[in-house]
């Protein structure tokens, strides 16, 4: 037996012992974040992902347990934070805070698995991410490196491998109990394709350029999906169903037309082996549960989800999209559609994935009832992905700019890495600054050029003093004696600016 196979078996036994699939999936989602934020590879000496008989599953950075999952009078997720962030948990009485025995600046937050939604709090996750960055920066070599489980790392990095792993565990647990009296589909039937372990209702949220659209595009490439962009005039009739004028043989008639959400639900339904909602309703509850449990995932992607009046768009669907109200779930719920009078439910294998830009302050926030039904994944700038350009450390450059933006406005207006991901030369960098970054800052600061100069420096945004007397030939009492005219450095526009200008922004 290979070492990797042995590590897989050890992990499999521990996952079965913990016996909480959702908490285990959450652990590996967090582990993937840890890998991305700390920017460590599988053989990095500073990390050790270990499976211990008595302690559970742990991700160690240096000698600190940054992330842990274990069973002990319940199932717990543990994450490490700075002591200064302890106040973030004051409102969560179910969380236990443990002070480290050493004199470090860190604490451990013990979160019950049934309260894992606490980890969707953007402030808490941001604090954890900052802690990871500090742990990585000070780490030398993990004392537990000899027990590093390479298969755990692969599981975090490879979602397909993760799905297959949990599928094997699920089948081994339920194979005997679900083989009698059920309608089983053929192994080669296309309905049973790739399954995703992302939440059923998920929204990627973050500033521009942080990879929200890229993330949903990656999902769209791995499963059948439909894409829609919300706008302010989008309606329930477009989303679900409505009466529309149709031209037939020169005559205008009115018909009930199905929307993108209905079509996505129908596509998901067919992956479970049903051709219509009526056929699904007439099947037994046991068959429905089994068929949806085995069915492949269908994805509906909603870009700019907060741009529409989403309470109006979703209507009665707001209840049906809850995990436990889906078809094939424990408390599945059916309703009658208002136009077609058809019985309808939302399949348990339909993922609703949205994107939301945090800088759109002119747009109404999500309805609280709908917000409760979605999980949120904050997308922060991944500046470690950016390469240096002619001795300019792009990561440090944008990090310094974002620090200034966060001070002057807030962290939700930071600049994402996607703006610079394709920059290969100083000329490319100049084009991005002149064509994208400066216009973005104009919008952020409402054309307050003094603040823009504070952010990117007075060598990029030039200021010229204008005297009233020089312009009008006299002093005008009702106006200030002098004013300023701002302009973008022409060398930046032409791409010929000295690289030292960028270096001085962060040095």
């Amino acid at each position: 037996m290979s070492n990797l196979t042995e590590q897989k078996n050890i992990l499999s036994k521990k996952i079965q012992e913990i016996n909480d699939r959702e908490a285990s999936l959450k652990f590996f989602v967090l582990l993937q974040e840890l890998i991305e934020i700390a920017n460590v590879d599988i053989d990095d000496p500073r990390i050790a992902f270990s499976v211990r008989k008595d302690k559970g599953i742990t991700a160690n950075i240096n000698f600190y347990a940054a992330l842990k999952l274990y069973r002990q009078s319940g199932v717990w997720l543990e994450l490490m934070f700075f002591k200064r962030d302890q106040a973030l948990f004051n409102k969560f009485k179910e969380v236990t805070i443990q002070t480290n025995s050493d004199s470090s600046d860190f604490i451990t937050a013990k979160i019950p698995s049934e309260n894992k939604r606490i980890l969707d709090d953007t402030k808490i996750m941001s604090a954890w991410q900052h802690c990871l960055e500090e742990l990585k920066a000070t780490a030398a070599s993990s004392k537990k490196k000899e027990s590093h489980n390479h298969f755990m790392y692969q599981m975090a990095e490879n979602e397909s491998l993760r799905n297959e792993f949990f599928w094997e565990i699920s089948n081994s647990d339920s194979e005997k109990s679900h083989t009698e009296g059920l309608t089983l589909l053929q192994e080669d039937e296309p309905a049973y394709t790739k399954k995703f372990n992302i939440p059923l209702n998920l929204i990627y949220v973050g500033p521009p350029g942080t990879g929200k659209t890229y993330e949903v595009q990656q999902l769209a490439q791995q499963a059948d999906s439909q894409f829609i962009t919300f706008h302010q005039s989008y309606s329930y009739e477009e989303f679900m169903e409505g009466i529309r004028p149709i031209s037939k043989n020169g005559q205008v008639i009115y018909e009930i037309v199905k929307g993108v959400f209905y079509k996505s639900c129908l596509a998901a339904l067919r992956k479970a082996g049903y051709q219509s909602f009526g056929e699904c309703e007439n099947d037994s509850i046991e068959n429905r549960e089994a068929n949806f449990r085995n069915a492949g995932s269908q994805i509906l992607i909603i870009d700019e989800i907060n741009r529409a009046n989403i309470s109006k768009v979703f209507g009665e669907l707001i209840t049906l999209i809850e995990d436990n109200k889906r078809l094939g779930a424990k408390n599945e719920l059916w309703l009658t559609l208002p136009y077609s009078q058809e019985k309808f439910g939302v399949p348990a294998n339909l993922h609703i994935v949205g994107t939301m830009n945090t800088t759109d302050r002119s747009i109404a926030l999500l309805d609280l009832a709908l917000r409760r039904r979605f999980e949120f994944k904050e997308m922060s700038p991944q500046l470690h992905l950016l390469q240096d350009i002619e001795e300019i450390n792009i990561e440090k450059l944008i990090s310094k700019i974002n620090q200034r933006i966060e001070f002057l406005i807030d962290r939700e207006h930071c600049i994402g890495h996607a703006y610079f991901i394709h920059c290969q030369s100083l000329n490319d960098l100049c084009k991005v600054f002149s064509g994208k970054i400066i216009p973005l800052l104009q919008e952020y600061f409402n054309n307050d050029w003094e603040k823009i100069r504070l952010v990117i420096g007075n060598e990029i945004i030039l200021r010229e003093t204008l005297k009233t007397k020089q312009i009008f030939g006299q002093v005008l009492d009702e106006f200030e004696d002098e004013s300023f005219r701002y302009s973008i450095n022409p060398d930046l526009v032409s791409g010929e600016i000295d690289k030292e200008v960028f270096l001085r922004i962060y040095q």
Side-chain angles (χ1 to χ4, degrees), residues 305-373:
I305 193 170
N306 58 324
R307 284 189 173 272
N309 183 342
I310 51 181
S311 296
K312 180 180 179 181
V313 171
F314 275 84
E316 71 277 2
L317 304 175
I318 194 170
T319 301
L320 298 188
I321 65 174
E322 288 191 54
D323 292 12
N324 65 341
K325 302 294 193 305
R326 301 288 191 100
L327 301 184
K330 182 179 180 180
N331 301 314
E332 67 174 19
L333 188 64
W334 293 83
L335 59 75
T336 302
L337 295 177
Y339 290 98
S340 64
Q341 296 299 301
E342 177 185 352
K343 293 297 288 293
F344 176 82
V346 178
N349 58 328
L350 175 69
H351 294 272
I352 305 172
V353 180
T355 68
M356 189 168 72
N357 196 328
T358 56
T359 61
D360 287 330
R361 293 194 174 277
S362 62
I363 302 166
L365 295 175
L366 286 178
D367 179 276
L368 289 178
L370 194 63
R371 178 177 284 272
R372 181 177 66 81
R373 290 166 168 84

Side-chain angles (χ1 to χ4, degrees), residues 354-414:
T355 68
M356 189 168 72
N357 196 328
T358 56
T359 61
D360 287 330
R361 293 194 174 277
S362 62
I363 302 166
L365 295 175
L366 286 178
D367 179 276
L368 289 178
L370 194 63
R371 178 177 284 272
R372 181 177 66 81
R373 290 166 168 84
F374 278 86
E375 294 190 31
F376 290 80
K377 181 174 181 180
E378 184 178 12
M379 302 293 290
S380 302
Q382 303 292 309
L383 301 182
H384 63 273
L385 299 175
L386 304 177
Q387 61 179 354
D388 294 352
I389 297 175
E390 297 186 24
E391 300 178 6
I392 302 171
N393 189 315
I394 304 300
E395 181 178 355
K396 289 183 178 180
L397 172 67
I398 309 308
S399 179
K400 177 59 69 175
I401 289 174
N402 280 342
Q403 286 177 12
R404 294 169 177 175
I405 292 174
E406 186 174 348
F407 180 85
L408 294 172
I409 313 178
D410 55 45
R411 62 189 299 270
E412 294 180 348
H413 285 73
C414 289

